[in-house]
């Protein structure tokens, strides 16, 4: 089973309602004053199964990483899930800027690129490969380009500031966590019983 999740960070099929995938501080239907909680980490949830190929991609930021993830997922003899950053019209943005939006999301650390390949564990290597570098722009710079965050900055500037500060801390904590996991030594290769 190969699954592709087009993560729009809202319930797009019902008109852009807030979901567990909506990032902190984003304005969407049912969160007019900004979503107060962090976005769920679907990649981390999927990796916890250990036998699932998992990738998080944004082709507008790194098209080669996206292609590599699709090829690896297809070749994995087991379930795979690719989670693709997918800007949505419900965000209120001009989608002709799609590639730029993806690039900013990755560079800010909002959307870390990664691949988790269980075959690497079978070879005694760490199955997690973090394809993103440390965030290179402030989260605020990414959020400032998106209407779903700017609305809150205009209507509730104090609340917006709190959410931006919390999101910036979260970005750094998540990157550090993924970096630590990716830097761990691989497991001992399984020995075959004779």
């Amino acid at each position: 089973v190969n699954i592709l999740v087009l993560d729009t960070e809202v319930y797009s099929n019902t008109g852009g309602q807030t979901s567990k995938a909506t990032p902190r501080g984003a304005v969407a239907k049912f969160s007019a004053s900004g979503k107060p909680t962090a976005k769920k980490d679907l990649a981390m949830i999927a990796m916890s199964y250990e036998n699932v190929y998992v990738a998080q991609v944004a082709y507008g930021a790194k098209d080669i990483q996206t292609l590599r993830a699709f090829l690896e997922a297809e070749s994995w003899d087991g379930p795979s899930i690719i989670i693709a950053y997918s800007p949505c019209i419900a965000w209120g943005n001009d989608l002709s800027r799609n590639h730029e939006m993806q690039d900013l999301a990755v560079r800010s650390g909002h959307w870390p690129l990664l691949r988790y390949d269980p075959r690497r564990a079978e070879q005694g290597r760490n199955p997690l490969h973090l394809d993103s570098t440390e965030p290179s722009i402030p989260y605020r710079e990414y959020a400032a380009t998106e209407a779903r965050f700017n609305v809150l900055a205009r209507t509730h500037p104090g609340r917006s500031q709190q959410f931006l500060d919390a999101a910036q801390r979260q970005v750094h904590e998540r990157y550090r966590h993924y970096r630590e996991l990716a830097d761990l030594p691989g497991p001992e290769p399984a020995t075959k019983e004779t």
Side-chain angles (χ1 to χ4, degrees):
V1 175
N2 298 315
I3 301 168
L4 174 62
V5 175
L6 301 177
D7 190 347
T8 62
E9 301 187 326
V10 289
Y11 289 122
S12 299
N13 61 336
T14 58
Q17 296 169 339
T18 299
S19 76
K20 289 186 174 116
T22 303
R24 182 190 315 270
V27 171
K29 289 182 181 176
F30 303 120
S31 62
S33 58
K35 182 173 174 252
T37 57
K39 171 186 175 68
K40 72 177 174 183
D41 191 340
L42 183 57
M44 189 64 73
I45 293 167
M47 284 186 286
S48 71
Y49 288 93
E50 297 181 358
N51 68 333
V52 177
Y53 177 90
V54 181
Q56 196 159 278
V57 302
Y59 80 91
K62 277 195 175 178
D63 56 355
I64 298 299
Q65 185 263 356
T66 302
L67 176 61
R68 185 173 290 132
F70 273 84
L71 292 172
E72 289 173 354
E74 179 63 28
S75 69
W76 169 242
D77 186 24
S80 69
I81 182 169
I82 295 176
I83 308 154
Y85 187 74
S86 302
C88 177
I89 196 166
W91 297 357
N93 289 17
D94 177 0
L95 293 183
S96 69
R97 294 183 45 250
N98 182 4
H99 292 146
E100 178 188 351
M101 293 164 65
Q102 291 184 49
D103 185 54
L104 288 170
V106 170
R107 290 192 302 132
S108 71
H110 173 69
W111 192 263
L113 303 177
L114 58 92
R115 291 171 291 128
Y116 178 93
D117 191 337
R119 288 171 287 209
R120 291 173 54 98
E122 294 167 2
Q123 301 162 354
R125 298 171 25 209
N126 187 324
L128 178 60
H129 186 271
L130 185 58
D131 294 307
S132 287
T133 59
E134 190 167 352
S136 61
I137 63 170
Y139 182 85
R140 173 181 314 286
E141 190 173 321
Y142 152 73
T145 66
E146 301 215 354
R148 60 187 176 153
F149 298 107
N150 288 331
V151 167
L152 192 63
R154 287 191 306 274
T155 59
H156 299 87
R159 187 171 173 88
S160 173
Q161 181 64 47
Q162 290 172 341
F163 288 153
L164 286 172
D165 291 344
Q168 184 66 65
R169 285 189 303 274
Q170 178 190 357
V171 158
H172 286 297
E173 289 167 8
R174 183 178 53 232
Y175 179 81
R176 186 179 68 245
H177 182 67
Y178 272 122
R179 178 82 275 149
E180 288 171 356
L181 291 175
D183 288 344
L184 289 171
E188 292 292 321
T191 58
K192 295 183 179 177
E193 294 183 27
T194 54

